[in-house]
Structure formats: structure tokens, C-alpha cells
Amino acid sequence: MSTRAGSVSVEDLRQLLRGLEVFAGELPVFDPSQAPDTPTELFAEWLLAAVDAGVREPHAMTVSTAGADGNPTARTLILKGLGPDGWRFASDGGSVKARDLAERPYAALTFYWSPLARQIRVRGPVAPESPEDSAADFLARSAGARAEALLGRQSRPLADLAERDTVVKESLARLEAEPDLVAPGWTLHSVRPESVEFWQGDKERRHTRLVYVRSGEGWDKQLLWP
Ligand SMILES: Cc1cc2nc3c(=O)[nH]c(=O)nc-3n(C[C@H](O)[C@H](O)[C@H](O)COP(=O)(O)O)c2cc1C
């Protein structure tokens, strides 16, 4: 087995990883006794703080799913909104995530805002939103994003980049002629949270975790050991 990764030795990498600083700089203090009654309110507060702190793509989250075999797949997606049914994201009908969700309609979402040392984890069942909402989401996308999604080829093998550029160009031309086209499989999904956990990192490792667990129509709050 090779002990080198590229031109850096495995030992060098190990040293580098051990030497990297975590939670540098000024971090916010999270007082869980002041936390609102619902996780949605606290999520909105933390998202706004991430936007104010200049976090790049603060609305990007890791969406983890599992198919019928139970094996997880995770990928980054953009949060589309917080509807009455929960955290929303959209998927191409032919993608791996769409297939997983058809087999096992359950997801875990993870947000990490590095400059604030904050993580939020959301878990719950996933349900599709109405075809009207899905179509509205599709039509709100940029022309380039719609052209790509219209092809319905996400996650399929691609021969070369020139093929991508040619086919997307054709798809853009199609959209110009028919601007109301909606990709047939485009679906907006909502994760209805069963639990939402807020984690505030601390340089001295006095991390704070607060989990909201759904209880009837409301929420129970519980501190967790970090
Ligand atoms: C910051 C960021 C945002 C992304 N946003 C989306 C998105 O909103 N929708 C999407 O389908 N893929 C998005 N992607 C690409 C996905 O991570 C993933 O590669 C793609 O959805 C295929 O996933 P799948 O094969 O598991 O279905 C994004 C990637 C990054 C890094």
C-alpha cells in the first residue's frame, strides 16, 4: 500500500491535520435558557447571524438520504425555504436523492457555519410539495439551472464536458422558445422535523447542544452532553 497521497506523505498529512486550529477567533455565546419555543425561530435567528457574518452560501446544507439498501448518501443542496411543513429543498426526478426518497422518504439535514462554529441538524420524514409549488420553484430558477434540470440527466455518466456544453445550449434554446417549460420530475420536498439540534462550538470545548424534539403540537427542549 502506498504511504504517499500525491506529493505529500501520509505522515505529513497526519501532522498537518493535527496542527489545524479549530474554532479560532471570536465566537458567539449561545444561552439555551433564552432559546425560543420553536426550532424554526432559532433556526431563523442563526441563519440571519450567518448571513450577517458573511458566511458563503449560508443556505447550503448537507442532505443525507438512504435507499432501500439502507446505505446513506449525502450531498450539498440549497435550502429553498421554511414552509408550514418544514425545511424545503428541490430535486431532479432522476437523481440519486429522488430515488432514495422514493424508497425511503426520510432525510437528515446538516448546516455548518464555520465562522460562527455553529451546526444545526434536522431529521424527519420527507414529503413532496404540490405540483404547483414544485413548478413555481422550477420557474424561479436561473435560465442555466432550468436548462440543465430540463435535461433530467443529473448523476448520469457524461462522456465529456463538450457534450455537456452542447446539450445545455440546446436546452437553453428550447427554454427561450418555451419559457414556461417545467422539468417533469422536478419536485420540491419538505422535511417535517422530528428533531432539530443546535450546536454552538467553544474554543475551550465547552460546547453547547440543545435539541428540540417534537411533542404533540409543540416541542420539548433538552440539553445534550457535547
Ligand atoms: C454549495 C452547493 C450547492 C448545491 N446545490 C444544489 C441544489 O440546490 N440542487 C441540486 O440538485 N444539486 C446541488 N448541488 C450539487 C449536489 O451536491 C449533488 O452533486 C447533486 O444534487 C447530485 O446528487 P445525487 O446524485 O445524490 O442526487 C450543490 C452543490 C454544492 C457544493
Side-chain angles (χ1 to χ4, degrees), residues 57 60 73 75-78 80 90 95-98 154-155:
E57 288 97 29
T73 304
R75 78 288 286 161
T76 313
L77 296 181
I78 294 293
K80 293 302 183 82
S95 65
V96 172
K97 63 188 110 38
Q154 192 175 54
S155 305

Side-chain angles (χ1 to χ4, degrees), residues 29-83:
V29 174
F30 171 43
D31 178 359
S33 70
Q34 301 297 313
D37 291 339
T38 70
T40 316
E41 290 168 271
L42 190 53
F43 177 83
E45 266 179 41
W46 281 29
L47 177 65
L48 291 180
V51 172
D52 286 347
V55 173
R56 191 175 160 148
E57 288 97 29
H59 53 344
M61 59 190 177
T62 303
V63 178
S64 305
T65 56
D69 60 7
N71 294 336
T73 304
R75 78 288 286 161
T76 313
L77 296 181
I78 294 293
L79 176 69
K80 293 302 183 82
L82 237 60

Side-chain angles (χ1 to χ4, degrees), residues 72-211:
T73 304
R75 78 288 286 161
T76 313
L77 296 181
I78 294 293
L79 176 69
K80 293 302 183 82
L82 237 60
D85 295 327
W87 275 248
R88 289 176 156 193
F89 64 88
S91 82
D92 187 299
S95 65
V96 172
K97 63 188 110 38
R99 191 195 61 210
D100 277 2
L101 289 169
E103 291 171 354
R104 261 173 104 105
Y106 202 92
L109 314 177
T110 312
F111 294 84
Y112 175 50
W113 295 311
S114 164
L116 300 170
R118 282 179 167 175
Q119 172 184 256
I120 299 178
R121 306 199 298 173
V122 180
R123 296 181 78 228
V126 181
E129 290 295 333
S130 68
E132 293 75 25
D133 282 358
S134 296
D137 176 77
F138 185 82
L139 293 170
R141 289 163 65 83
S142 69
R146 273 180 293 143
E148 213 163 65
L150 202 55
L151 297 168
R153 297 186 186 186
Q154 192 175 54
S155 305
R156 304 229 185 118
L158 169 70
D160 58 48
L161 298 182
E163 180 195 344
R164 176 197 65 190
D165 294 344
T166 308
V167 176
V168 169
K169 211 168 150 192
E170 287 164 8
S171 187
L172 271 169
R174 197 175 158 215
L175 269 179
E176 246 172 56
E178 299 171 82
D180 296 334
L181 274 182
V182 172
W186 192 258
T187 307
L188 195 59
H189 304 271
S190 279
V191 180
R192 184 176 186 271
E194 286 173 344
S195 69
V196 186
E197 186 204 306
F198 295 81
W199 187 96
Q200 173 66 64
D202 176 80
K203 200 160 179 49
E204 309 304 325
R205 302 199 68 81
R206 293 170 66 233
H207 310 315
T208 306
R209 289 174 76 184
L210 178 70
V211 64

